[in-house]
Amino acid sequence: MDQLFLKILGMSMTASVVTAVVILLRLMLKKAPKIFSYLLWAAVFFRLLCPFEINLPKAPVTPVSVEITNEIPQSESVSGNYGSMAFSHGTVHIYSDPSQHKTYIAAVAASLTWICGMTAMAVYGTVSYIKLKRMLKGSERCEGNVFTSDRISNAFIIGIFRPRIYIPSGFDDSKKAFILKHESVHLKRGDHIVKLIMFAALCIHWFNPLVWLAFYLMNMDCEMSCDEKVVKLLGEEKLQAKQDIVLAALLNEFWCDYLDYTAYLREGIHLT
């Protein structure tokens, strides 16, 4: 298990470097369409989830001459990872290295901590998803896969094989049209599945703060690129009206609820 954790740790360190590069590229593409910044994050999350590495050609090894003899030495020692063995006059002497044992114990403890954290993230996400599904019972169908509920405050998509769009009750037809178009773009691009993959990577690499930053920034780029697409579909003259509808709801809740983990998880996976 400690070998698996070391593998994950190596992947996370490499992804941290890629994250730093993507952040710099985002600054360079500040005036470019946000879809390009959104696509850049694919490299980060691919490295977080893909265990394979590209083997680069190694430098040639200089051959070493070996002399073979039939003489048996009186004393010979062999060193291992966690100690050494010495052979002398037919007797085997084993010597342990305390520092190696401490390293092994630290590796096991780190592996167990990683497993506990990953399990806690997965359990919390599953419980939050179940609670959200229960809260959506009694929602009214508007049309097709679009539902309204008076128990939610933001629109979102939930489901993988049969995704549904949920919209808060109380919006008039014009406001509902803006929000529905926004969620339809998310659904067409498969953003709800992308966010689920993002959360899976976050569960595995929960110990890396740069992964949390990448999760947050990728979600922002996802939303902004979706907004740009909606603006192109609806027309530039309707941009201000859309901002009044969508941004007002987001700003009212973002700073109050986003630091709460349940709200954060709900915003990150289900809410768009």
Side-chain angles (χ1 to χ4, degrees):
M1 187 59 66
D2 57 323
Q3 295 298 323
L4 176 61
F5 174 68
L6 292 177
K7 178 69 175 180
I8 295 295
L9 186 61
M11 294 166 57
S12 191
M13 293 176 64
T14 304
S16 298
V17 177
V18 180
T19 299
V21 173
V22 170
I23 292 176
L24 292 177
L25 291 176
R26 285 177 79 253
L27 296 176
M28 298 173 61
L29 297 173
K30 190 174 181 179
K31 296 184 179 180
K34 294 302 179 181
I35 186 63
F36 296 112
S37 298
Y38 180 42
L39 294 176
L40 285 175
W41 293 110
V44 175
F45 286 90
F46 176 80
R47 191 64 196 98
L48 288 172
L49 296 174
C50 181
F52 303 105
E53 297 180 356
I54 300 176
N55 294 324
L56 299 177
K58 299 180 179 180
V61 179
T62 304
V64 179
S65 59
V66 179
E67 181 180 354
I68 302 177
T69 178
N70 293 328
E71 297 180 1
I72 302 176
Q74 293 295 324
S75 179
E76 182 179 356
S77 62
V78 179
S79 299
N81 292 331
Y82 303 108
S84 61
M85 298 175 61
F87 303 87
S88 178
H89 301 287
T91 304
V92 179
H93 304 278
I94 301 177
Y95 304 95
S96 61
D97 189 348
S99 62
Q100 294 291 344
H101 284 291
K102 292 180 180 179
T103 303
Y104 175 76
I105 293 174
V108 173
S111 301
L112 293 176
T113 304
W114 166 64
I115 293 175
C116 291
M118 181 174 56
T119 303
M121 291 275 293
V123 171
Y124 206 101
T126 303
V127 172
S128 299
Y129 178 80
I130 294 174
K131 289 182 178 180
L132 180 61
K133 290 285 289 184
R134 291 178 178 176
M135 186 175 63
L136 294 174
K137 288 184 177 180
S139 301
E140 298 180 0
R141 183 190 296 268
C142 292
E143 55 176 287
N145 65 336
V146 181
F147 294 78
T148 60
S149 174
D150 57 358
R151 304 181 66 182
I152 59 177
S153 57
N154 287 299
F156 58 88
I157 300 172
I158 189 171
I160 298 178
F161 301 105
R162 292 186 299 174
R164 294 181 175 183
I165 298 175
Y166 287 88
I167 300 176
S169 302
F171 287 139
D172 57 35
D173 293 339
S174 60
K175 294 180 179 179
K176 187 182 299 184
F178 283 115
I179 298 177
L180 184 58
K181 180 63 68 174
H182 181 91
E183 300 304 324
S184 297
V185 172
H186 276 309
L187 184 60
K188 185 177 181 180
R189 300 194 314 186
D191 290 335
H192 59 296
I193 298 177
V194 173
K195 291 185 179 183
L196 182 62
I197 297 175
M198 290 165 55
F199 182 71
L202 187 64
C203 288
I204 297 173
H205 300 270
W206 60 268
F207 54 88
N208 189 342
L210 284 179
V211 177
W212 288 86
L213 178 61
F215 181 82
Y216 170 73
L217 292 177
M218 183 177 181
N219 189 60
M220 285 186 56
D221 290 339
C222 174
E223 293 301 322
M224 289 188 289
S225 64
C226 184
D227 288 341
E228 290 178 344
K229 181 66 175 180
V230 172
V231 169
K232 290 181 181 179
L233 293 175
L234 298 180
E236 294 290 342
E237 68 278 2
K238 297 182 180 181
L239 174 60
Q240 186 59 47
K242 176 185 179 299
Q243 289 177 336
D244 293 340
I245 297 168
V246 179
L247 295 183
L250 291 177
L251 290 176
N252 286 337
E253 295 191 1
F254 182 84
W255 297 111
C256 297
D257 296 336
Y258 203 77
L259 293 180
D260 178 75
Y261 185 78
T262 303
Y264 176 80
L265 180 63
R266 183 160 48 88
E267 289 281 351
I269 302 176
H270 308 300
L271 296 188
T272 54

